[in-house]
């Protein structure tokens, strides 16, 4: 789907994750962050979800996924710190053993 926006550039497909339109794809101006060049082009690609129940479930799933990703990042950071301190401890113990025998 190659659609040009008002700027003459290829419109970019994005996904809305707000509460009213969760998981709904749309085309928008690639310059939307720059108010001087944004042409305000916007076009929905997907039809709206059939009812509010589906919207609420999709939004809820998105929030759960985002929270799970944040928790995974936190666990990975904690594990990295643990690995660093374990390596540091090994170096210190080996150093103490070498000093004792030299």
């Amino acid at each position: 789907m190659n659609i040009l926006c008002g700027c003459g550039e290829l419109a970019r497909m994005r996904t809305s994750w707000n509460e009213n339109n969760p998981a709904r794809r749309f085309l928008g101006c690639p310059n939307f962050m720059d108010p001087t060049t944004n042409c305000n082009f916007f076009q929905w690609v997907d039809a709206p979800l059939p009812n509010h129940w589906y919207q609420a479930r999709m939004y809820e799933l998105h929030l759960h996924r985002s929270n799970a990703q944040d928790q995974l990042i936190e666990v990975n950071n904690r594990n990295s710190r643990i690995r660093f301190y374990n390596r540091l401890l090994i170096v210190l113990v080996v150093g103490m053993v070498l000093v004792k025998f030299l």
Side-chain angles (χ1 to χ4, degrees), residues 60-73:
E60 184 180 318
L61 288 171
H62 170 67
L63 291 178
H64 285 302
R65 188 183 120 237
S66 295
N67 290 339
Q69 286 175 331
D70 291 344
Q71 289 174 354
L72 182 61
I73 289 170

Side-chain angles (χ1 to χ4, degrees), residues 54-99:
Y54 284 107
Q55 289 177 346
R57 295 300 75 76
M58 287 298 291
Y59 187 67
E60 184 180 318
L61 288 171
H62 170 67
L63 291 178
H64 285 302
R65 188 183 120 237
S66 295
N67 290 339
Q69 286 175 331
D70 291 344
Q71 289 174 354
L72 182 61
I73 289 170
E74 186 178 316
V75 167
N76 285 338
N77 288 340
R78 189 175 335 125
N79 287 342
S80 293
R81 285 192 304 275
I82 289 170
R83 280 193 303 273
F84 170 76
Y85 288 120
N86 284 344
R87 289 178 184 146
L88 182 62
L89 183 61
I90 290 169
V91 168
L92 290 174
V93 168
V94 168
M96 290 171 60
V97 168
L98 288 175
V99 166

Side-chain angles (χ1 to χ4, degrees), residues 7-61:
C7 302
E9 296 188 39
L10 197 60
R12 292 199 183 142
M13 189 175 306
R14 294 183 173 85
T15 304
S16 168
W17 284 109
N18 67 30
E19 200 167 351
N20 295 327
N21 293 297
R24 193 170 175 198
R25 295 176 303 165
F26 64 93
L27 294 171
C29 177
N31 301 315
F32 80 99
M33 294 294 284
D34 184 359
T36 60
T37 58
N38 182 7
C39 68
N40 294 319
F41 175 78
F42 179 88
Q43 179 181 346
W44 287 114
V45 174
D46 297 327
L49 292 173
N51 59 44
H52 184 68
W53 185 87
Y54 284 107
Q55 289 177 346
R57 295 300 75 76
M58 287 298 291
Y59 187 67
E60 184 180 318
L61 288 171

